[in-house]
Amino acid sequence: MRRFLPLLGVSLFFIVTANAQSIDAQKIAFDYVRLPLVPVPAGTSSYTPEVLLRYVESVQQQQANHVSAVTEAKAKAEKDKQEYKAQSLKDKAINRLLLDERKPGEAVIPTADYTAQVYDAPTLAATYVSLSGMKRVQSDGDLRVVVSLDGFTQGPITPVQVKGTSLAIGGASTGDGIKHAYEVSYKSPVSVKVTTKDGKVLLDEMIEATNTYTVGKTEAFATEEGLNKFWRNNQGAYMRQLDENAMKTNMKLATDYLDSALGQRSITRNSSIWVVSDKKINYDEFPQAYEKALIGYKLLADPARTPEASLQINEAVALWTKALAESNPKDKKARIDEKVTAATLYNAAEANLWLNNFDETDRLLARLKLLDISRYNILAKELDLLAQDQHKRFNANKKN
């Protein structure tokens, strides 16, 4: 027992020493102004939004075709009645006996196919179309922003069978056995075009995601007749809801696309600055760098204060760079060991991103990935995506 106690004391000493080092993620949130992907002419400050419904004539033609079909059906029914009426009783009897020809009934009115909703274009423009950092004007804006809708397009309607109790359709469990539903495919393509006052086209594209078919599913019924009855009574309302949902979703996609391409939106960045501390070892540069970086990041919200932000961030980078000069990942006793190196690399990589030092950010992230620490691999991947996007936007706006 006398030998055991000293050993226990030594073990406790090493445990305390090993746990003395603390690497804490100080969560931060700050705003920055995201640059556009498509640079606009210098002095551009306003835009005029417009929505074009390019499918209106098609809808009108579809409706006119149905009216003609109804008129023809009624005319044929009336003609059949007159011809039947003009027959003698003898002819009527013979035709009924030999041809099973009976007295004509009322006209069979053809069912109208669903026609895309014609929305109010000015309302859509006012509700959805916007560009961050620019003023909306009713006419003669520096930019003309046109969003064109090609209307709701219905694809195949496919009967499907649903089996099992685990699948829910229409908010209700399908229960045991087979149930019947329809899958309805549809799309509602949207395009965007942006031009300057002098007619220069800055952007002219179809929003690709809006030009692919989406599949909706009706609620399921125990019998095919139950499904058919539902469809006869509710097809129009069901299709109208799909139409409205597609319009809202795709208009938002178009607006987000336009804003990413041409707007100057304020984005909130949620991140962390890693701070190292130890009861035995001096890590004073880490809280100092944290304070400087945080001040700099907070200043990014105001582009006019970019020089002040860069000054603070550069001072933080200098402290982290000096620490990295001591990096020795293979030595667990080193002041800047593997884990401290990883935390410092991440801090410095993000800071260089906001200084537009993208090559340095890439280099630091590459070093971080080589350490292959799970926690930092995830962070590095997310930061790498942001850095690529920022680099692309920075290059696009160099001339401006």
Side-chain angles (χ1 to χ4, degrees):
M1 181 65 85
R2 290 180 180 178
R3 293 181 180 178
F4 175 74
L5 288 174
L7 291 174
L8 179 61
V10 172
S11 299
L12 289 173
F13 172 77
F14 281 114
I15 291 172
V16 172
T17 302
N19 292 337
Q21 185 188 80
S22 175
I23 305 176
D24 297 319
Q26 301 296 323
K27 294 183 179 180
I28 59 172
F30 59 92
D31 295 334
Y32 67 94
V33 178
R34 185 181 65 185
L35 294 173
L37 282 169
V38 179
V40 299
T44 299
S45 61
S46 64
Y47 69 97
T48 298
E50 184 178 348
V51 168
L52 292 181
L53 307 179
R54 300 194 294 203
Y55 61 95
V56 174
E57 288 187 7
S58 176
V59 168
Q60 292 173 339
Q61 185 61 56
Q62 185 179 354
Q63 292 172 337
N65 290 344
H66 182 253
V67 170
S68 296
V70 170
T71 301
E72 289 177 7
K74 290 181 177 180
K76 183 179 183 306
E78 183 60 29
K79 179 182 177 184
D80 290 344
K81 286 180 181 180
Q82 295 302 322
E83 289 179 349
Y84 182 81
K85 186 178 181 180
Q87 293 177 7
S88 66
L89 291 175
K90 180 180 178 181
D91 289 340
K92 290 177 182 177
I94 293 173
N95 289 337
R96 182 170 183 176
L97 179 64
L98 299 179
L99 303 177
D100 195 28
E101 184 180 275
R102 300 178 182 276
K103 183 178 180 180
E106 297 299 322
V108 178
I109 305 300
T111 302
D113 293 330
Y114 178 76
T115 55
Q117 292 190 68
V118 177
Y119 299 97
D120 184 70
T123 299
L124 293 185
T127 303
Y128 291 100
V129 186
S130 63
L131 285 180
S132 299
M134 296 190 196
K135 182 181 179 182
R136 178 200 300 262
V137 294
Q138 293 301 313
S139 61
D140 202 31
D142 296 325
L143 299 180
R144 183 190 179 204
V145 181
V146 180
V147 178
S148 298
L149 279 64
D150 289 334
F152 183 86
T153 301
Q154 178 186 306
I157 299 176
T158 308
V160 293
Q161 294 182 344
V162 182
K163 183 178 181 180
T165 59
S166 60
L167 183 61
I169 298 180
S173 174
T174 60
D176 296 325
I178 295 175
K179 292 199 172 185
H180 305 269
Y182 280 134
E183 285 186 344
V184 182
S185 61
Y186 62 95
K187 65 178 180 178
S188 186
V190 175
S191 302
V192 294
K193 185 175 183 179
V194 180
T195 55
T196 62
K197 278 187 176 181
D198 59 6
K200 180 181 179 182
V201 178
L202 300 181
L203 192 67
D204 188 4
E205 294 184 25
M206 165 79 73
I207 307 300
E208 193 59 37
T210 70
N211 198 34
T212 57
Y213 280 97
T214 299
V215 177
K217 186 179 289 185
T218 67
E219 61 180 294
F221 295 84
T223 65
E224 291 185 52
E225 178 54 35
L227 172 61
N228 292 333
K229 182 179 179 181
F230 163 82
W231 195 243
R232 287 193 300 270
N233 296 330
N234 298 281
Q235 178 180 0
Y238 180 82
M239 300 300 289
R240 178 176 292 273
Q241 189 61 60
L242 292 183
D243 190 335
E244 291 180 358
N245 292 344
M247 180 277 292
K248 292 175 182 178
T249 297
N250 292 347
M251 285 299 295
K252 187 177 185 304
L253 285 174
T255 298
D256 290 344
Y257 183 83
L258 285 167
D259 210 47
S260 178
L262 295 156
Q264 295 187 45
R265 178 185 292 182
S266 179
I267 303 291
T268 298
R269 164 77 173 155
N270 292 297
S271 186
S272 296
I273 299 175
W274 296 84
V275 177
V276 185
S277 61
D278 194 296
K279 292 181 179 179
K280 301 289 185 179
I281 304 174
N282 185 347
Y283 288 105
D284 286 349
E285 69 265 51
F286 284 89
Q288 293 173 16
Y290 163 74
E291 291 180 11
K292 292 179 180 297
L294 182 59
I295 292 172
Y297 293 161
K298 293 292 186 181
L299 291 172
L300 293 173
D302 183 1
R305 304 188 70 179
T306 297
E308 298 175 62
S310 297
L311 178 63
Q312 294 291 335
I313 298 172
N314 267 310
E315 290 181 359
V317 167
L319 291 168
W320 287 320
T321 301
K322 185 177 179 181
L324 286 171
E326 300 179 43
S327 173
N328 191 354
K330 295 182 180 181
D331 185 356
K332 294 182 179 180
K333 296 182 180 180
R335 190 177 83 94
I336 310 299
D337 60 13
E338 183 181 48
K339 291 183 179 179
V340 175
T341 296
T344 310
L345 285 170
Y346 180 81
N347 288 344
E350 170 135 11
N352 274 283
L353 184 159
W354 300 114
L355 293 171
N356 300 322
N357 297 333
F358 300 106
D359 290 343
E360 181 65 4
T361 292
D362 292 343
R363 186 184 71 82
L364 293 167
L365 286 177
R367 284 184 61 186
L368 179 56
K369 292 172 185 176
L370 286 175
L371 294 178
D372 196 23
I373 300 174
S374 178
R375 170 193 291 177
Y376 294 102
N377 285 344
I378 296 172
L379 293 172
K381 184 177 180 180
E382 184 270 340
L383 187 60
D384 189 32
L385 291 174
L386 176 61
Q388 291 179 35
D389 185 64
Q390 285 292 104
H391 196 177
K392 188 187 301 182
R393 294 174 186 277
F394 178 79
N395 288 339
N397 289 271
K398 272 184 178 179
K399 294 182 180 180
N400 283 9

